[in-house]
């Protein structure tokens, strides 16, 4: 898949362009492939269980604090849905029902899948711990930039 980012006046804009780039990266690296190990046992009407879990992740990355925000923030974003290889985003009620139906076994499988995803992309695990790990924190809350203090 090749993505092109730019400013247009056409009807194909999305305010979540960075999520589109992240989707392309995830698809190229097959980052979310471990989610397929979560066997939800739900019938597929429009979306599989893995699709719904992926959409929950996209909603978190899009800044949805609650799933009820999915309908307002992500539902109109058909271009972003297509970049994530969905025809459209699922309704928030479908995502909520999927999460409600997770069993303890499903939660364990999900935890293992997330651990695999985290370990494969974690730079902390690749750090040479014989040396120091430097963290630069700025707690002042001042703006950053060329003219900042």
């Amino acid at each position: 898949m090749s993505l092109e980012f730019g400013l247009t006046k056409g009807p194909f804009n999305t305010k979540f362009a960075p999520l589109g780039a992240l989707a392309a990266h995830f698809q190229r690296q097959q980052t979310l492939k471990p989610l397929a190990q979560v066997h939800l046992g739900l019938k597929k009407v429009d979306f599989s269980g893995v699709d719904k879990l992926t959409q929950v992740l996209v909603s978190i990355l899009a800044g949805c604090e609650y799933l009820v925000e999915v309908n307002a923030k992500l539902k109109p974003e058909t271009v972003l849905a297509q970049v994530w290889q969905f025809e459209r985003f699922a309704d928030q009620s479908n995502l909520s029902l999927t999460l409600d139906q997770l069993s303890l076994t499903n939660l364990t499988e999900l935890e293992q899948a997330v651990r695999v995803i985290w370990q494969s992309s974690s730079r902390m695990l690749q750090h040479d711990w014989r040396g120091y790990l430097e963290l630069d924190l700025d707690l002042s809350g001042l703006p950053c930039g060329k003219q900042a203090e």
Side-chain angles (χ1 to χ4, degrees), residues 12-13 19 26 39 43 45 53-54 61-62 66 75 82 85-86 96 138 147:
F12 301 109
N13 285 330
L19 284 181
F26 280 178
H39 302 98
K43 65 178 182 176
V45 178
L53 290 176
T54 302
L61 294 173
Y66 304 100
K75 199 87 160 116
Q82 291 169 359
Q85 297 183 342
F86 305 121
S96 295
D138 179 11
Q147 299 176 351

Side-chain angles (χ1 to χ4, degrees), residues 66-125:
Y66 304 100
L67 282 179
V68 72
E69 298 174 35
V70 167
N71 286 354
K73 282 189 177 180
L74 290 181
K75 199 87 160 116
E77 295 286 340
T78 55
V79 173
L80 181 64
Q82 291 169 359
V83 171
W84 282 91
Q85 297 183 342
F86 305 121
E87 185 179 323
R88 59 180 170 74
F89 283 111
D91 190 76
Q92 62 88 15
S93 61
N94 289 333
L95 298 178
S96 295
L97 285 173
T98 301
L99 293 180
D100 285 343
Q101 294 175 357
L102 292 175
S103 66
L104 289 176
T105 304
N106 296 141
L107 290 175
T108 302
E109 292 170 344
L110 182 59
E111 181 181 2
Q112 291 170 350
V114 169
R115 185 177 293 116
V116 169
I117 293 169
W118 175 76
Q119 288 175 343
S120 67
S121 59
S122 172
R123 290 191 176 182
M124 186 184 76
L125 293 175

Side-chain angles (χ1 to χ4, degrees), residues 15-57:
K15 60 183 175 181
F16 297 107
L19 284 181
L22 187 64
H25 174 73
F26 280 178
Q27 290 163 7
R28 188 175 306 118
Q29 301 293 324
Q30 295 186 341
T31 305
L32 301 179
K33 189 175 181 179
L35 287 179
Q37 301 303 315
V38 181
H39 302 98
L40 296 176
L42 302 173
K43 65 178 182 176
K44 178 181 176 180
V45 178
D46 292 326
F47 301 99
S48 68
V50 175
D51 291 345
K52 291 178 187 178
L53 290 176
T54 302
Q55 290 184 30
V56 169
L57 172 65

